[in-house]
Amino acid sequence: MLSKPRVVTSVFRGWLGVEQGVSSLCRVRGGVVSRYMAHSPSEENPQWQPLKAHTEGVCARLEHHLHYLFEAVPELEPYAKLTAYLHDLGKYRDDFQKHRLGWNPEKAHEEKFSDRKVSHSDAGARFMQLLLDMRREEASELPFVIASHHGRLK
């Protein structure tokens, strides 16, 4: 079924190293602060949600809901985790942070910018496509899952 578990596992481990380093990107007033946000405050959640925390939460929910599947098909786990970690990769774009969230990643605080459309779901899909060197017949649904995780493809 899946033909590249070793490649995916090594890519996933490499991505974890990058992701774990995100929290040290910015130090503000002596405390460690993630300089990239996943979500701006809303009625549901009145706090800014750091992108690192959001990504880790998505991965934890995935593990919780699919643990039985990982036991039955262990080679699926690195693919699923990599997909979870890459789903919001495009939110690391400064344009997305500024124009979609109103967050200044250089200063690590809220700021008013012009509101304009900036995609984020394409970045993780393209990154996965490059990392895995996929062909259409071979696991190409994973980039599609990332590219369409907020609805239809445009």
Side-chain angles (χ1 to χ4, degrees):
M1 179 173 117
L2 300 173
S3 63
K4 298 184 182 180
R6 288 188 181 151
V7 172
V8 173
T9 302
S10 67
V11 165
F12 177 65
R13 286 185 184 134
W15 174 252
L16 276 179
V18 170
E19 184 63 18
Q20 289 168 352
V22 167
S23 65
S24 63
L25 286 174
C26 182
R27 294 192 180 275
V28 178
R29 296 188 182 110
V32 176
V33 176
S34 176
R35 56 184 260 198
Y36 291 94
M37 296 294 142
H39 299 284
S40 57
S42 64
E43 283 185 33
E44 186 178 310
N45 185 359
Q47 302 293 320
W48 283 93
Q49 184 183 31
L51 190 47
K52 182 178 184 294
H54 170 71
T55 302
E56 290 171 345
V58 168
C59 196
R61 285 191 301 280
L62 175 111
E63 287 177 317
H64 173 75
H65 292 293
L66 296 181
H67 68 88
Y68 67 93
L69 190 56
F70 297 158
E71 291 170 10
V73 188
E75 63 270 16
L76 180 64
E77 187 172 6
Y79 286 95
K81 287 183 177 181
L82 185 62
T83 301
Y85 272 99
L86 293 179
H87 86 281
D88 275 343
L89 183 66
K91 288 186 178 183
Y92 282 103
R93 294 176 173 147
D94 286 354
D95 274 357
F96 182 88
Q97 294 290 306
K98 293 175 180 178
H99 300 288
R100 290 291 300 273
L101 296 179
W103 179 260
N104 186 334
E106 291 93 17
K107 297 177 181 175
H109 68 74
E110 189 173 355
E111 195 170 311
K112 185 69 179 155
F113 295 95
S114 62
D115 189 24
R116 71 174 200 229
K117 288 189 174 215
V118 180
S119 177
H120 78 279
S121 56
D122 64 314
R126 291 173 195 252
F127 189 66
M128 181 176 279
Q129 188 82 33
L130 287 170
L131 287 175
L132 301 179
D133 191 30
M134 292 181 179
R135 296 187 307 261
R136 285 199 177 272
E137 315 83 49
E138 188 175 55
S140 63
E141 63 276 0
L142 295 177
F144 178 79
V145 167
I146 294 172
S148 62
H149 78 273
H150 285 299
R152 64 182 173 83
L153 291 173
K154 296 176 178 137

